[in-house]
Amino acid sequence: MIRKERAILALEDGTVYRGYAFGHRGETVGEVVFNTSMTGYQEIMTDPSYNGQIVTITYPHVGNYGVAIYDMESNKPYVRGFISREFSGEYSNHRAQQSLEAFMQQYGVVSIQGIDTRALVRRLRTGGVVKGVIAHRSYTHPEDAYGEFTPAEEQVYVQRARDHQDIDGHDMTREVTTALPYAFPTLRHGKRVVLMDFGIKHTIIERLAEVGIEPIVVPAHTTPAQIMALQPHGLFLSNGPGDPAPLEYAHKTAWELMGLLPTFGICLGHQILGLAAGGQTFKMKFGHRGGNQPVKNLLTGNVEITSQNHGYAVDLDSIPNGAFVATHINLNDGTLEGMAHARYPVFSVQYHPEASPGPHDSRYLFDRFIEEIDAFDGGTGTPIAKALPGRLGV
């Protein structure tokens, strides 16, 4: 019988799951969430939107196709930890350069396997997301890596989870945004668009370039004057981690530029637009994370299967004067998934149309963005919310 190094997952509610160490040996703490995707673990790990979170993969077997450098969504993993029922020690994939465990060890990702992930996910769905700690026995007791944690030791980690700072009210984008502006290389000249980086994924930049946009990525704190000095044809507000409410500098920028440039927001960018217009956001019980979320396009009646990763949502009714109207809703819980300004060429979606990983049902939104840029006349443009259904349809 193969002996395995012991590890635990200790939650702030006092629950302790006992399993086995995987990845980098150590300890980590963060908000425990779950993702229902069956593939795409590397893209999930390197998505900056997961900064501060320990991700549970509901699919029971993870790692069998290894890690490929071409599938990185940023320059490193941003997850605080990773949880699976079983990680694969071997991999088979002609594109892969290394195993998942070697990748985790290289970047310091602390993980645990061998726990009942179904029970964990049910607890998160019932009680909501919680803070937790993954601890490896070999980190604190290298002479006894195969031994059990004592009840007293487990309670120490439970208390550490309780003492950890909440994501709520904390600006997480400062840890993931680019330090300096940069231009993304393209093969052709196109419409210049400024991308505000709150934790942008590489695939989003690539999709924008594919539809004829010249992306210029700027830090999250870039001012409206600095953005307009670049003489852009459009503005893009990216995805990113955590609570959108503390990002008042971003709300201010989005508000001051609203109507001056065609604007497209994704995920956190969608929430920033809602807050900029005077609305409110709220934290969801366990959020939407996975590649199988059904969304209805209210302008066409079409249903899209979407890739999502968010724990907050916009309360459309809180936006004053009906400035934004709903364009998409989630068919599972009825939450807002997309909206468009009633007057300006400004629209956003809560989900990820670039879908990496995930289905490609919503990639048309990138085409619609370039169409809005081309149609913009320097004034209010054609209001998306009142345009023909095809403007935001397929």
Side-chain angles (χ1 to χ4, degrees):
M1 180 178 180
I2 299 176
R3 300 179 70 193
K4 298 180 180 180
E5 297 179 22
R6 296 288 181 171
I8 60 169
L9 169 66
L11 305 182
E12 63 176 312
D13 65 4
T15 306
V16 177
Y17 295 90
R18 301 168 185 88
Y20 305 100
F22 193 81
H24 177 74
R25 300 308 192 255
E27 298 174 355
T28 190
V29 58
E31 182 180 75
V32 182
V33 300
F34 65 90
N35 186 297
T36 58
S37 297
M38 297 176 67
T39 61
Y41 50 81
Q42 181 182 347
E43 293 92 332
I44 292 168
M45 293 175 65
T46 56
D47 181 350
S49 295
Y50 283 108
N51 183 39
Q53 295 177 324
I54 296 173
V55 180
T56 307
I57 299 295
T58 60
Y59 193 69
H61 191 68
V62 175
N64 59 316
Y65 58 84
V67 171
I69 190 173
Y70 313 103
D71 297 330
M72 298 281 283
E73 286 295 339
S74 62
N75 60 355
K76 66 176 184 178
Y78 278 96
V79 293
R80 289 283 174 85
F82 223 52
I83 302 170
S84 175
R85 179 70 180 89
E86 181 183 14
F87 287 110
S88 175
E90 304 293 332
Y91 69 94
S92 177
N93 177 6
H94 71 280
R95 296 177 65 251
Q97 287 83 40
Q98 62 184 147
S99 70
L100 177 57
E101 183 162 36
F103 179 75
M104 289 179 171
Q105 291 170 343
Q106 177 181 348
Y107 288 101
V109 180
V110 178
S111 304
I112 185 173
Q113 65 174 333
I115 71 171
D116 187 346
T117 51
R118 292 176 300 178
L120 173 58
V121 170
R122 177 167 291 187
R123 179 173 293 274
L124 297 177
R125 286 181 60 88
T126 301
V129 296
V130 294
K131 294 175 291 184
V133 174
I134 297 175
H136 291 173
R137 180 75 176 174
S138 59
Y139 182 71
T140 55
H141 299 78
E143 76 289 348
D144 187 25
Y146 305 101
E148 300 282 356
F149 286 89
T150 67
E153 289 172 331
E154 292 178 345
Q155 289 308 305
V156 169
Y157 290 112
V158 169
Q159 188 60 48
R160 182 179 171 193
R162 291 171 179 165
D163 294 339
H164 183 62
Q165 182 182 40
D166 285 330
I167 285 180
D168 299 359
H170 180 54
D171 183 356
M172 305 290 291
T173 65
R174 298 174 183 272
E175 302 171 13
V176 300
T177 188
T178 181
L180 297 170
Y182 64 91
F184 183 81
T186 58
L187 298 178
R188 56 178 176 169
H189 293 293
K191 300 291 186 177
R192 181 181 302 160
V193 172
V194 169
L195 282 56
M196 294 192 71
D197 177 15
F198 304 110
I200 197 166
K201 295 169 62 181
H202 288 169
T203 304
I204 292 177
I205 305 175
E206 293 167 0
R207 295 288 175 265
L208 289 168
E210 286 174 1
V211 298
I213 284 172
E214 291 185 20
I216 299 179
V217 184
V218 300
H221 285 79
T222 304
T223 66
Q226 291 171 326
I227 289 173
M228 294 305 290
L230 295 170
Q231 300 182 332
H233 298 97
L235 176 67
F236 180 84
L237 307 181
S238 85
N239 63 293
D243 186 354
L247 279 60
E248 294 182 358
Y249 55 89
H251 309 166
K252 183 175 184 293
T253 297
W255 170 250
E256 292 185 11
L257 295 178
M258 200 172 295
L260 297 181
L261 295 169
T263 302
F264 181 19
I266 285 178
C267 200
L268 184 67
H270 162 81
Q271 297 161 7
I272 288 171
L273 283 173
L275 290 163
Q280 297 178 348
T281 55
F282 60 92
K283 186 165 187 176
M284 306 171 74
K285 190 174 184 179
F286 49 83
H288 298 153
R289 296 177 181 89
N292 54 358
Q293 289 284 333
V295 168
K296 183 176 182 179
N297 184 325
L298 299 178
L299 302 179
T300 66
N302 293 338
V303 174
E304 307 161 19
I305 303 302
T306 66
S307 177
Q308 304 203 13
N309 170 23
H310 64 100
Y312 297 82
V314 174
D315 178 5
L316 184 66
D317 293 336
S318 69
I319 299 179
N321 305 317
F324 278 90
V325 297
T327 58
H328 300 75
I329 60 168
N330 189 287
L331 291 179
N332 283 337
D333 58 17
T335 53
L336 183 69
E337 291 285 3
M339 62 184 186
H341 200 281
R343 181 182 179 192
Y344 303 131
V346 176
F347 69 103
S348 60
V349 290
Q350 181 62 79
Y351 51 95
H352 283 260
E354 84 288 350
S356 182
H360 300 166
D361 297 21
S362 305
R363 286 192 177 179
Y364 66 87
L365 290 166
F366 294 104
D367 295 316
R368 295 300 177 254
F369 184 36
I370 193 67
E371 289 173 8
E372 293 302 325
I373 292 173
D374 289 338
F376 186 60
D377 61 5
T380 61
T382 303
I384 298 176
K386 297 179 180 178
L388 295 174
R391 294 284 292 281
L392 279 180
V394 293

